[in-house]
Amino acid sequence: MCGIIGSIGVKNAVPVLLKGLERLEYRGYDSAGICVVTNNSLVVIKKTGKVAELAAHSAISSLKDTTIGIAHTRWATHGKPSEENAHPHLDCKGEIAIVHNGIIENYHKLKNELEEKGHVFRSETDSEIVAHLIEYYYNGNLERAVIMALKKVEGAFGLAVMHKSEKSIVAARRGSPLVLGISDGAMFVASDVSALLDYTSRVIYLDDNEVATLTSKSYTIKTLEGNMIRSRAVQEIDWNIDKIEKRGYKHFMLKEILEQPISIEKVLQNRIINNRILLDIKIDINTLKRLYIVACGTSWHAALEGKYIIERIAGIPVEVDYASEFRYRNPLFIKGDAIIAISQSGETADTLAAIRLAKEKSLPIISIVNVVGSGIARNSDSVIYLNAGPEIGVASTKAFTAQIMALVLFALYIKQERNDIADNEILNSLKVINCSIKEVLKSREEIKKIADEIYASRDALYLGRGMQFPVALEGALKLKEISYIHAEGYPAAEMKHGPIALVEEGTPVIALAMEDVLHEKMISNIQEVKARKGKVIAITDSQSLRVSSLADRVIKVPKVLDILSPIVTSIPLQLLAYYAAVKRGIDVDKPRNLAKSVTVE
Ligand code: G6P
């Protein structure tokens, strides 16, 4: 949700900033802008649309030998996507520039106060007030002015600021992520390490309420109270550029779908030794009475699977909440409760807020996160990292299957710690699940043909029962978010309570018909769809002819343990959505109105 990059010290900051924006574009892509200092003045260039349009702007090529700059790619919250609303924003005199990610909640009040003092605003954004507030406090020391301004601000910010006459960039964060890049003779700041990897692998994650001042050769970090932080570990990032490049694939989403045999394996790496599970969980598992899982989007669908998985394997009751609902519904806690937060990015604002609430109530927090060092990870007592590698495509794919793996691992760990029992059947199946995924991926061409048949549909229904119900929700989400086809996921038995009214001749109904205890019931539901002339696309592991004789199309998946089946059934649905969206001509990595990490409420 908005990407920030700043660079100081490299000979020409412009290509660094543009490359950084390109890497951050998954965070927002409705407009972009850049600000650099040339001849002791700030030059700002902005453009609506994607970063490539900014890079092609005629004025960009005239910017040379400029060593300091900040840039931004936007996902609109306050004010439409337009050049005025694009960042960087300037103060009245055009001497201070800011780029901001987050939301200034008291911006109305601050704007009125500043307008009364004579400040003139050029945009509809909440962010612009920060530039004016800094201008108000500025008396020759940018860092001091930023600190004073931020004391007045309520809300979330990842911020980078520059002044035309100061050879520094001041960066600050509260709620929105920010990472510093350290290199010899150059310093960087960005919303995410992917923007820095071309230049350095040495990074420092800023914490909330911290301000960093970067010059080309040094950096300082202070709290917003002005206290210097003397020692802050520099972390070495072990990803390489290769992992964040498309490497010949048309889209990141396809690359990430196809990476799943590997990403799944990574979840297990070094975590199962002699059939014992090793997880760094810092809570006493024996005191656990109930678990709340909080998450958003695709991660919430993984959370729903987590309920089935943990209740079945570990025998502990689990409640699942949308993080955004959890934080406002005053949940009733009892002794023995703990929270699991699931998040690919580790920075989703609602999930972060939900764990902060839990922290206030002294509940232990375990998070299942992909991005190392992210806010959710740092606010948790224990973290299970997915190790799935960067996920760039806006629609989450490999993170979902990795989250399910992590949940199974955690459930097995609880069982092991409480009863000293290793569930060898599940453990052994986990170790070979990647072979089943490879099998599923072989059906790509077949799935593409089915996508070609349904891509022009207006609606689609996804039906599943038991553990296939969250898969149905996830399949429907994938289709709607990247192809814009209206899609709904339902527990199959609920279909007759409403959604069946949508079924008409040819309506695609994707039925998850695994050979489990609910198989017969699912077959009845398929019959109900066929009676209304719906087009049934069945995902099944069944060898019998019953599903294939009823369904219009069948996607076969290999038989795996019931508890692991969502891993193999969700992948064909990812591919179906992908190919339908491509056929509709949509930029699947950057679908309209969406952003990869949602750092605002
Ligand atoms: C956004 C993304 C989704 C993601 C959700 C939760 O909406 O577009 O793909 O599932 O945020 O994100 P998280 O990073 O917390 O898993």
Side-chain angles (χ1 to χ4, degrees), residues 130 134 141-151 157-162 168-176 178-180 189 204-215 218-230 232:
V130 181
I134 296 170
N141 181 332
L142 185 60
E143 182 192 78
R144 194 165 162 274
V146 171
I147 291 180
M148 290 176 77
L150 292 181
K151 282 190 178 156
F157 48 80
L159 194 70
V161 188
M162 56 195 272
S168 64
I169 294 175
V170 178
R173 76 157 273 177
R174 180 191 295 153
S176 305
L178 219 49
V179 57
L180 311 181
V189 58
I204 294 176
Y205 292 97
L206 277 194
D207 274 331
D208 276 349
N209 297 314
E210 287 183 349
V211 183
T213 300
L214 310 178
T215 66
S218 66
Y219 62 87
T220 56
I221 304 175
K222 289 182 180 167
T223 64
L224 270 185
E225 299 306 316
N227 300 323
M228 187 72 83
I229 295 175
R230 306 232 170 254
R232 173 59 60 81

Side-chain angles (χ1 to χ4, degrees), residues 1 26 294-301 342-349 351-352 368 370-371 376 386 391 393-397 399 403 474 477-478 481 591 594-599:
M1 188 131 303
Y26 72 90
V294 293
C296 302
T298 288
S299 298
W300 183 75
H301 296 153
I342 307 183
S343 174
Q344 188 286 128
S345 61
E347 55 174 86
T348 302
T351 312
L352 195 53
I368 297 179
N370 195 29
V371 177
I376 291 174
L386 298 178
E391 190 181 70
V394 164
S396 187
T397 52
Q403 286 162 347
E474 175 58 9
L477 176 66
K478 283 291 87 83
E481 65 185 341
L594 299 180
K596 181 77 183 154
S597 32
V598 180
T599 54

Side-chain angles (χ1 to χ4, degrees), residues 245-259:
E245 296 279 3
K246 280 192 222 152
R247 290 211 325 259
Y249 290 99
K250 194 166 169 208
H251 296 105
F252 279 111
M253 183 177 175
L254 181 62
K255 174 179 173 253
E256 288 157 8
I257 292 173
L258 300 179
E259 269 171 10

Side-chain angles (χ1 to χ4, degrees), residues 407-424:
L407 284 159
V408 174
L409 215 53
F410 182 55
L412 291 170
Y413 176 80
I414 300 176
K415 187 172 178 178
Q416 164 190 298
E417 296 301 299
R418 281 160 84 102
N419 309 322
D420 205 22
I421 296 174
D423 195 320
N424 290 335

Side-chain angles (χ1 to χ4, degrees), residues 247-418:
R247 290 211 325 259
Y249 290 99
K250 194 166 169 208
H251 296 105
F252 279 111
M253 183 177 175
L254 181 62
K255 174 179 173 253
E256 288 157 8
I257 292 173
L258 300 179
E259 269 171 10
Q260 288 176 101
I262 301 159
S263 52
I264 285 290
E265 240 174 22
K266 293 267 184 200
V267 186
L268 302 182
Q269 218 165 52
N270 302 326
R271 285 179 169 154
I272 306 179
I273 313 263
N274 297 332
N275 273 10
R276 278 201 79 76
I277 296 163
L278 309 175
L279 290 177
D280 189 15
I281 304 291
K282 297 187 184 74
I283 60 169
D284 182 359
I285 293 292
N286 287 304
T287 60
L288 281 185
K289 296 246 169 348
R290 178 174 63 175
L291 287 163
Y292 278 97
I293 315 186
V294 293
C296 302
T298 288
S299 298
W300 183 75
H301 296 153
L304 292 178
E305 294 294 6
K307 179 176 171 66
Y308 290 93
I309 292 166
I310 295 172
E311 290 189 345
R312 211 184 302 168
I313 298 180
I316 294 183
V318 177
E319 288 201 25
V320 178
D321 270 65
Y322 281 116
S324 54
E325 292 297 315
F326 179 84
R327 58 186 288 200
Y328 292 116
R329 79 169 170 86
N330 289 327
L332 298 175
F333 298 121
I334 52 169
K335 200 163 181 284
D337 277 346
I339 302 287
I340 304 182
I342 307 183
S343 174
Q344 188 286 128
S345 61
E347 55 174 86
T348 302
D350 282 318
T351 312
L352 195 53
I355 64 171
R356 286 199 173 125
L357 173 96
K359 212 171 196 174
E360 276 167 26
K361 308 271 180 200
S362 307
L363 262 65
I365 298 155
I366 302 153
S367 62
I368 297 179
V369 169
N370 195 29
V371 177
V372 175
S374 53
I376 291 174
R378 283 181 295 131
N379 279 279
S380 304
D381 300 304
S382 312
V383 188
I384 305 174
Y385 281 115
L386 298 178
N387 301 331
E391 190 181 70
I392 312 280
V394 164
S396 187
T397 52
K398 64 175 178 175
F400 177 72
T401 47
Q403 286 162 347
I404 293 173
M405 289 291 280
L407 284 159
V408 174
L409 215 53
F410 182 55
L412 291 170
Y413 176 80
I414 300 176
K415 187 172 178 178
Q416 164 190 298
E417 296 301 299
R418 281 160 84 102

